[in-house]
Amino acid sequence: MKIGIVGGTGEIGEGMALRLSPKYDVIVGSREETKAIATCDACRASLEERDLACNLLGVTNQRAIDEADVVILAIPFRHVAPTLKTLTGFEDKIVISPVNPIERTTYFYYAPPPEGSAAMMIKGMLPESAIVCAAFNNVAANKWRALDEVLDYSVAVCCDDDGAKRTVMDLVNSVSSLRAYDAGPLHAASIVESLTPLLLNIARFNGMKDVGVRFV
Ligand SMILES: NC(=O)c1ccc[n+]([C@@H]2O[C@H](COP(=O)([O-])OP(=O)(O)OC[C@H]3O[C@@H](n4cnc5c(N)ncnc54)[C@H](OP(=O)(O)O)[C@@H]3O)[C@@H](O)[C@H]2O)c1
């Protein structure tokens, strides 16, 4: 399976590239190809230090979409709509949204678009045949990047297509000790996205770092 990461040079994108590229073909996308290549070089060096082989390619965001079966949109919410307007080729692809629309004052709060969630907004912007899944919304980037730590978290997955949901849940379950849970249709993604400001507030007000969730 080829996984393209739009914004693969960022906090979570690079962490995902590190964790996924030993198992899958990972195509890191960026607005600037040279930045994507530099991210791939850094990931490859970290993995080689641990004797891990990997499959990484650094390209533009557009090429990452064109070459992938599954596309992860790893960009901040405020840039999602303008970025999607510049990109094409999502037809028949699975598109994973870890995107959380969050604002902050003295605390973090959920600030969804009129569509109800980032995931529903993204679905509305993509061709009908693209299948959007919300996943990975509640796993902190620092944990993805801490390669020597076990990623022991639950991951809620929302999607309207059973086959695509299974594919994404299998992908989740293949990463470290992450465990995927079916969290319902894409309409329910607002519930998953809105957990993240709670996690950030818990971390902030209790002197904790990178708080995550485990469903038991
Ligand atoms: N960070 C976390 O712990 C975490 C956890 C769960 C979910 N998420 C979600 O994951 C997504 C990415 O978060 P992040 O922290 O990884 O973001 P980030 O590091 O701030 O940015 C990710 C990438 O977005 C691209 N970008 C920046 N400005 C842009 C613009 N104006 N237009 C288009 N692309 C732009 C950049 O890539 P290029 O410059 O290479 O194009 C950047 O490397 C967010 O939606 C967030 O809610 C994050």
Side-chain angles (χ1 to χ4, degrees), residues 7 9-13 30-31 35 74-77 79 83 98-100 136-137 139-141:
T9 59
E11 294 288 319
I12 205 163
S30 168
R31 288 166 297 171
K35 200 172 160 187
I75 51 178
F77 173 71
H79 302 314
T83 300
V99 177
N100 299 310
F136 302 123
N137 300 74
V139 182

PDB file of all heavy atoms in Angstrom, residues 7 9-13 30-31 35 74-77 79 83 98-100 136-137 139-141, ligand 1:
ATOM      1  N   GLY A   7       1.632  17.566   3.545  1.00  0.00           N
ATOM      2  CA  GLY A   7       2.182  18.217   4.743  1.00  0.00           C
ATOM      3  C   GLY A   7       3.016  17.231   5.564  1.00  0.00           C
ATOM      4  O   GLY A   7       3.112  17.342   6.782  1.00  0.00           O
ATOM      5  N   THR A   9       5.989  17.034   6.047  1.00  0.00           N
ATOM      6  CA  THR A   9       7.188  17.619   6.661  1.00  0.00           C
ATOM      7  C   THR A   9       6.912  18.146   8.070  1.00  0.00           C
ATOM      8  O   THR A   9       7.829  18.603   8.744  1.00  0.00           O
ATOM      9  CB  THR A   9       7.666  18.823   5.822  1.00  0.00           C
ATOM     10  OG1 THR A   9       6.577  19.764   5.775  1.00  0.00           O
ATOM     11  CG2 THR A   9       8.030  18.418   4.418  1.00  0.00           C
ATOM     12  N   GLY A  10       5.640  18.124   8.487  1.00  0.00           N
ATOM     13  CA  GLY A  10       5.272  18.750   9.754  1.00  0.00           C
ATOM     14  C   GLY A  10       5.425  17.827  10.949  1.00  0.00           C
ATOM     15  O   GLY A  10       5.987  16.731  10.847  1.00  0.00           O
ATOM     16  N   GLU A  11       4.897  18.294  12.075  1.00  0.00           N
ATOM     17  CA  GLU A  11       5.047  17.578  13.343  1.00  0.00           C
ATOM     18  C   GLU A  11       4.525  16.143  13.234  1.00  0.00           C
ATOM     19  O   GLU A  11       5.229  15.174  13.500  1.00  0.00           O
ATOM     20  CB  GLU A  11       4.262  18.313  14.438  1.00  0.00           C
ATOM     21  CG  GLU A  11       4.801  19.686  14.786  1.00  0.00           C
ATOM     22  CD  GLU A  11       6.102  19.587  15.549  1.00  0.00           C
ATOM     23  OE1 GLU A  11       6.215  18.711  16.413  1.00  0.00           O
ATOM     24  OE2 GLU A  11       6.998  20.385  15.262  1.00  0.00           O
ATOM     25  N   ILE A  12       3.253  16.049  12.867  1.00  0.00           N
ATOM     26  CA  ILE A  12       2.658  14.709  12.852  1.00  0.00           C
ATOM     27  C   ILE A  12       3.011  13.970  11.565  1.00  0.00           C
ATOM     28  O   ILE A  12       3.198  12.748  11.570  1.00  0.00           O
ATOM     29  CB  ILE A  12       1.136  14.788  13.094  1.00  0.00           C
ATOM     30  CG1 ILE A  12       0.653  13.470  13.675  1.00  0.00           C
ATOM     31  CG2 ILE A  12       0.354  15.166  11.877  1.00  0.00           C
ATOM     32  CD1 ILE A  12      -0.697  13.550  14.312  1.00  0.00           C
ATOM     33  N   GLY A  13       3.155  14.723  10.466  1.00  0.00           N
ATOM     34  CA  GLY A  13       3.475  14.090   9.187  1.00  0.00           C
ATOM     35  C   GLY A  13       4.811  13.362   9.242  1.00  0.00           C
ATOM     36  O   GLY A  13       4.929  12.212   8.809  1.00  0.00           O
ATOM     37  N   SER A  30       4.984  17.975   0.243  1.00  0.00           N
ATOM     38  CA  SER A  30       5.216  19.315   0.774  1.00  0.00           C
ATOM     39  C   SER A  30       4.863  20.319  -0.316  1.00  0.00           C
ATOM     40  O   SER A  30       4.783  19.959  -1.492  1.00  0.00           O
ATOM     41  CB  SER A  30       6.682  19.466   1.167  1.00  0.00           C
ATOM     42  OG  SER A  30       6.989  20.823   1.419  1.00  0.00           O
ATOM     43  N   ARG A  31       4.692  21.585   0.090  1.00  0.00           N
ATOM     44  CA  ARG A  31       4.570  22.612  -0.932  1.00  0.00           C
ATOM     45  C   ARG A  31       5.896  22.764  -1.670  1.00  0.00           C
ATOM     46  O   ARG A  31       5.936  23.236  -2.784  1.00  0.00           O
ATOM     47  CB  ARG A  31       4.167  23.950  -0.299  1.00  0.00           C
ATOM     48  CG  ARG A  31       2.729  23.976   0.180  1.00  0.00           C
ATOM     49  CD  ARG A  31       2.481  25.158   1.070  1.00  0.00           C
ATOM     50  NE  ARG A  31       3.279  25.099   2.285  1.00  0.00           N
ATOM     51  CZ  ARG A  31       3.392  26.070   3.173  1.00  0.00           C
ATOM     52  NH1 ARG A  31       2.754  27.208   2.970  1.00  0.00           N
ATOM     53  NH2 ARG A  31       4.126  25.918   4.260  1.00  0.00           N
ATOM     54  N   LYS A  35      11.972  20.460   0.650  1.00  0.00           N
ATOM     55  CA  LYS A  35      11.661  20.281   2.082  1.00  0.00           C
ATOM     56  C   LYS A  35      11.240  18.822   2.347  1.00  0.00           C
ATOM     57  O   LYS A  35      11.636  18.213   3.348  1.00  0.00           O
ATOM     58  CB  LYS A  35      10.533  21.252   2.445  1.00  0.00           C
ATOM     59  CG  LYS A  35      10.396  21.553   3.904  1.00  0.00           C
ATOM     60  CD  LYS A  35       9.369  22.674   4.123  1.00  0.00           C
ATOM     61  CE  LYS A  35       8.865  22.644   5.546  1.00  0.00           C
ATOM     62  NZ  LYS A  35       7.773  23.586   5.779  1.00  0.00           N
ATOM     63  N   ALA A  74      -2.072  15.938   6.555  1.00  0.00           N
ATOM     64  CA  ALA A  74      -1.403  16.303   7.815  1.00  0.00           C
ATOM     65  C   ALA A  74      -1.055  17.788   7.826  1.00  0.00           C
ATOM     66  O   ALA A  74       0.110  18.165   7.978  1.00  0.00           O
ATOM     67  CB  ALA A  74      -0.156  15.443   8.003  1.00  0.00           C
ATOM     68  N   ILE A  75      -2.064  18.615   7.639  1.00  0.00           N
ATOM     69  CA  ILE A  75      -1.842  20.069   7.665  1.00  0.00           C
ATOM     70  C   ILE A  75      -2.810  20.735   8.654  1.00  0.00           C
ATOM     71  O   ILE A  75      -3.888  20.212   8.931  1.00  0.00           O
ATOM     72  CB  ILE A  75      -1.982  20.700   6.258  1.00  0.00           C
ATOM     73  CG1 ILE A  75      -3.281  20.276   5.588  1.00  0.00           C
ATOM     74  CG2 ILE A  75      -0.807  20.349   5.379  1.00  0.00           C
ATOM     75  CD1 ILE A  75      -3.470  20.910   4.228  1.00  0.00           C
ATOM     76  N   PRO A  76      -2.413  21.881   9.185  1.00  0.00           N
ATOM     77  CA  PRO A  76      -3.276  22.560  10.156  1.00  0.00           C
ATOM     78  C   PRO A  76      -4.629  22.919   9.538  1.00  0.00           C
ATOM     79  O   PRO A  76      -4.706  23.260   8.354  1.00  0.00           O
ATOM     80  CB  PRO A  76      -2.485  23.826  10.518  1.00  0.00           C
ATOM     81  CG  PRO A  76      -1.054  23.488  10.208  1.00  0.00           C
ATOM     82  CD  PRO A  76      -1.123  22.575   9.016  1.00  0.00           C
ATOM     83  N   PHE A  77      -5.673  22.878  10.360  1.00  0.00           N
ATOM     84  CA  PHE A  77      -7.039  23.089   9.864  1.00  0.00           C
ATOM     85  C   PHE A  77      -7.164  24.356   9.029  1.00  0.00           C
ATOM     86  O   PHE A  77      -7.789  24.347   7.963  1.00  0.00           O
ATOM     87  CB  PHE A  77      -8.032  23.126  11.036  1.00  0.00           C
ATOM     88  CG  PHE A  77      -9.408  23.499  10.575  1.00  0.00           C
ATOM     89  CD1 PHE A  77     -10.166  22.609   9.829  1.00  0.00           C
ATOM     90  CD2 PHE A  77      -9.937  24.759  10.838  1.00  0.00           C
ATOM     91  CE1 PHE A  77     -11.424  22.958   9.348  1.00  0.00           C
ATOM     92  CE2 PHE A  77     -11.188  25.111  10.369  1.00  0.00           C
ATOM     93  CZ  PHE A  77     -11.931  24.213   9.631  1.00  0.00           C
ATOM     94  N   HIS A  79      -5.298  25.783   7.060  1.00  0.00           N
ATOM     95  CA  HIS A  79      -4.730  25.702   5.712  1.00  0.00           C
ATOM     96  C   HIS A  79      -5.402  24.628   4.858  1.00  0.00           C
ATOM     97  O   HIS A  79      -5.056  24.483   3.678  1.00  0.00           O
ATOM     98  CB  HIS A  79      -3.229  25.402   5.787  1.00  0.00           C
ATOM     99  CG  HIS A  79      -2.456  26.414   6.572  1.00  0.00           C
ATOM    100  ND1 HIS A  79      -2.625  27.771   6.401  1.00  0.00           N
ATOM    101  CD2 HIS A  79      -1.526  26.270   7.552  1.00  0.00           C
ATOM    102  CE1 HIS A  79      -1.827  28.421   7.234  1.00  0.00           C
ATOM    103  NE2 HIS A  79      -1.158  27.531   7.945  1.00  0.00           N
ATOM    104  N   THR A  83      -5.595  24.766   0.737  1.00  0.00           N
ATOM    105  CA  THR A  83      -4.689  23.777   0.127  1.00  0.00           C
ATOM    106  C   THR A  83      -5.463  22.830  -0.784  1.00  0.00           C
ATOM    107  O   THR A  83      -5.021  22.527  -1.909  1.00  0.00           O
ATOM    108  CB  THR A  83      -3.952  22.984   1.222  1.00  0.00           C
ATOM    109  OG1 THR A  83      -3.201  23.903   2.010  1.00  0.00           O
ATOM    110  CG2 THR A  83      -3.008  21.953   0.632  1.00  0.00           C
ATOM    111  N   PRO A  98      -6.581  13.529  10.110  1.00  0.00           N
ATOM    112  CA  PRO A  98      -6.288  13.636  11.547  1.00  0.00           C
ATOM    113  C   PRO A  98      -6.531  15.061  12.030  1.00  0.00           C
ATOM    114  O   PRO A  98      -6.122  15.441  13.122  1.00  0.00           O
ATOM    115  CB  PRO A  98      -4.786  13.302  11.591  1.00  0.00           C
ATOM    116  CG  PRO A  98      -4.252  13.848  10.292  1.00  0.00           C
ATOM    117  CD  PRO A  98      -5.380  13.849   9.288  1.00  0.00           C
ATOM    118  N   VAL A  99      -7.193  15.864  11.180  1.00  0.00           N
ATOM    119  CA  VAL A  99      -7.254  17.324  11.367  1.00  0.00           C
ATOM    120  C   VAL A  99      -8.229  17.696  12.493  1.00  0.00           C
ATOM    121  O   VAL A  99      -9.371  17.247  12.511  1.00  0.00           O
ATOM    122  CB  VAL A  99      -7.696  18.006  10.049  1.00  0.00           C
ATOM    123  CG1 VAL A  99      -7.834  19.509  10.243  1.00  0.00           C
ATOM    124  CG2 VAL A  99      -6.723  17.683   8.924  1.00  0.00           C
ATOM    125  N   ASN A 100      -7.761  18.530  13.389  1.00  0.00           N
ATOM    126  CA  ASN A 100      -8.590  19.007  14.500  1.00  0.00           C
ATOM    127  C   ASN A 100      -8.717  20.532  14.428  1.00  0.00           C
ATOM    128  O   ASN A 100      -7.713  21.233  14.554  1.00  0.00           O
ATOM    129  CB  ASN A 100      -7.943  18.647  15.842  1.00  0.00           C
ATOM    130  CG  ASN A 100      -7.787  17.150  16.017  1.00  0.00           C
ATOM    131  OD1 ASN A 100      -8.732  16.391  15.824  1.00  0.00           O
ATOM    132  ND2 ASN A 100      -6.581  16.707  16.376  1.00  0.00           N
ATOM    133  N   PHE A 136      -6.553   9.014  13.802  1.00  0.00           N
ATOM    134  CA  PHE A 136      -5.299   9.543  14.367  1.00  0.00           C
ATOM    135  C   PHE A 136      -5.459  10.940  14.972  1.00  0.00           C
ATOM    136  O   PHE A 136      -4.458  11.605  15.226  1.00  0.00           O
ATOM    137  CB  PHE A 136      -4.180   9.585  13.305  1.00  0.00           C
ATOM    138  CG  PHE A 136      -3.853   8.266  12.668  1.00  0.00           C
ATOM    139  CD1 PHE A 136      -3.928   8.094  11.292  1.00  0.00           C
ATOM    140  CD2 PHE A 136      -3.459   7.175  13.437  1.00  0.00           C
ATOM    141  CE1 PHE A 136      -3.612   6.882  10.697  1.00  0.00           C
ATOM    142  CE2 PHE A 136      -3.137   5.953  12.848  1.00  0.00           C
ATOM    143  CZ  PHE A 136      -3.213   5.814  11.475  1.00  0.00           C
ATOM    144  N   ASN A 137      -6.710  11.394  15.197  1.00  0.00           N
ATOM    145  CA  ASN A 137      -6.918  12.767  15.689  1.00  0.00           C
ATOM    146  C   ASN A 137      -6.383  12.993  17.093  1.00  0.00           C
ATOM    147  O   ASN A 137      -6.092  14.135  17.471  1.00  0.00           O
ATOM    148  CB  ASN A 137      -8.416  13.098  15.686  1.00  0.00           C
ATOM    149  CG  ASN A 137      -9.027  13.006  14.309  1.00  0.00           C
ATOM    150  OD1 ASN A 137      -9.231  11.904  13.809  1.00  0.00           O
ATOM    151  ND2 ASN A 137      -9.291  14.131  13.680  1.00  0.00           N
ATOM    152  N   VAL A 139      -3.743  11.304  18.737  1.00  0.00           N
ATOM    153  CA  VAL A 139      -2.390  10.818  19.062  1.00  0.00           C
ATOM    154  C   VAL A 139      -1.406  11.969  18.851  1.00  0.00           C
ATOM    155  O   VAL A 139      -1.310  12.519  17.748  1.00  0.00           O
ATOM    156  CB  VAL A 139      -1.988   9.613  18.178  1.00  0.00           C
ATOM    157  CG1 VAL A 139      -0.600   9.111  18.574  1.00  0.00           C
ATOM    158  CG2 VAL A 139      -3.020   8.495  18.275  1.00  0.00           C
ATOM    159  N   ALA A 140      -0.678  12.325  19.902  1.00  0.00           N
ATOM    160  CA  ALA A 140       0.233  13.482  19.841  1.00  0.00           C
ATOM    161  C   ALA A 140       1.423  13.213  18.923  1.00  0.00           C
ATOM    162  O   ALA A 140       1.984  12.113  18.910  1.00  0.00           O
ATOM    163  CB  ALA A 140       0.737  13.810  21.239  1.00  0.00           C
ATOM    164  N   ALA A 141       1.791  14.255  18.174  1.00  0.00           N
ATOM    165  CA  ALA A 141       2.913  14.141  17.236  1.00  0.00           C
ATOM    166  C   ALA A 141       4.199  13.691  17.938  1.00  0.00           C
ATOM    167  O   ALA A 141       4.959  12.886  17.408  1.00  0.00           O
ATOM    168  CB  ALA A 141       3.140  15.481  16.547  1.00  0.00           C
TER     169      ALA A 141
HETATM  170  N1  LIG B   1       0.682  18.000  16.281  1.00  0.00           N
HETATM  171  C1  LIG B   1      -0.037  17.085  16.904  1.00  0.00           C
HETATM  172  O1  LIG B   1       0.309  16.609  18.001  1.00  0.00           O
HETATM  173  C2  LIG B   1      -1.321  16.573  16.273  1.00  0.00           C
HETATM  174  C3  LIG B   1      -2.000  15.500  16.862  1.00  0.00           C
HETATM  175  C4  LIG B   1      -3.176  15.020  16.268  1.00  0.00           C
HETATM  176  C5  LIG B   1      -3.657  15.629  15.107  1.00  0.00           C
HETATM  177  N2  LIG B   1      -2.983  16.684  14.582  1.00  0.00           N
HETATM  178  C6  LIG B   1      -3.512  17.336  13.362  1.00  0.00           C
HETATM  179  O2  LIG B   1      -2.601  17.075  12.325  1.00  0.00           O
HETATM  180  C7  LIG B   1      -2.554  18.196  11.441  1.00  0.00           C
HETATM  181  C8  LIG B   1      -1.101  18.614  11.283  1.00  0.00           C
HETATM  182  O3  LIG B   1      -0.630  19.069  12.518  1.00  0.00           O
HETATM  183  P1  LIG B   1       0.920  19.428  12.711  1.00  0.00           P
HETATM  184  O4  LIG B   1       1.096  19.795  14.130  1.00  0.00           O
HETATM  185  O5  LIG B   1       1.745  18.333  12.124  1.00  0.00           O
HETATM  186  O6  LIG B   1       1.039  20.738  11.797  1.00  0.00           O
HETATM  187  P2  LIG B   1       2.323  21.596  11.444  1.00  0.00           P
HETATM  188  O7  LIG B   1       3.560  20.875  11.805  1.00  0.00           O
HETATM  189  O8  LIG B   1       2.134  22.972  11.987  1.00  0.00           O
HETATM  190  O9  LIG B   1       2.200  21.739   9.849  1.00  0.00           O
HETATM  191  C9  LIG B   1       2.197  20.606   9.019  1.00  0.00           C
HETATM  192  C10 LIG B   1       2.581  21.016   7.599  1.00  0.00           C
HETATM  193  O10 LIG B   1       1.583  21.863   7.041  1.00  0.00           O
HETATM  194  C11 LIG B   1       2.180  22.547   5.941  1.00  0.00           C
HETATM  195  N3  LIG B   1       1.741  23.943   5.909  1.00  0.00           N
HETATM  196  C12 LIG B   1       2.082  24.945   6.761  1.00  0.00           C
HETATM  197  N4  LIG B   1       1.510  26.104   6.379  1.00  0.00           N
HETATM  198  C13 LIG B   1       0.811  25.832   5.257  1.00  0.00           C
HETATM  199  C14 LIG B   1       0.029  26.624   4.367  1.00  0.00           C
HETATM  200  N5  LIG B   1      -0.151  27.944   4.541  1.00  0.00           N
HETATM  201  N6  LIG B   1      -0.546  25.985   3.310  1.00  0.00           N
HETATM  202  C15 LIG B   1      -0.347  24.662   3.100  1.00  0.00           C
HETATM  203  N7  LIG B   1       0.389  23.864   3.899  1.00  0.00           N
HETATM  204  C16 LIG B   1       0.956  24.447   4.955  1.00  0.00           C
HETATM  205  C17 LIG B   1       3.691  22.510   6.147  1.00  0.00           C
HETATM  206  O11 LIG B   1       4.242  21.700   5.126  1.00  0.00           O
HETATM  207  P3  LIG B   1       5.134  22.313   3.927  1.00  0.00           P
HETATM  208  O12 LIG B   1       5.717  23.605   4.391  1.00  0.00           O
HETATM  209  O13 LIG B   1       6.154  21.269   3.724  1.00  0.00           O
HETATM  210  O14 LIG B   1       4.205  22.447   2.792  1.00  0.00           O
HETATM  211  C18 LIG B   1       3.843  21.857   7.507  1.00  0.00           C
HETATM  212  O15 LIG B   1       4.999  21.075   7.626  1.00  0.00           O
HETATM  213  C19 LIG B   1      -3.421  19.297  12.067  1.00  0.00           C
HETATM  214  O16 LIG B   1      -4.639  19.378  11.380  1.00  0.00           O
HETATM  215  C20 LIG B   1      -3.614  18.851  13.503  1.00  0.00           C
HETATM  216  O17 LIG B   1      -4.875  19.225  14.012  1.00  0.00           O
HETATM  217  C21 LIG B   1      -1.819  17.163  15.109  1.00  0.00           C
END
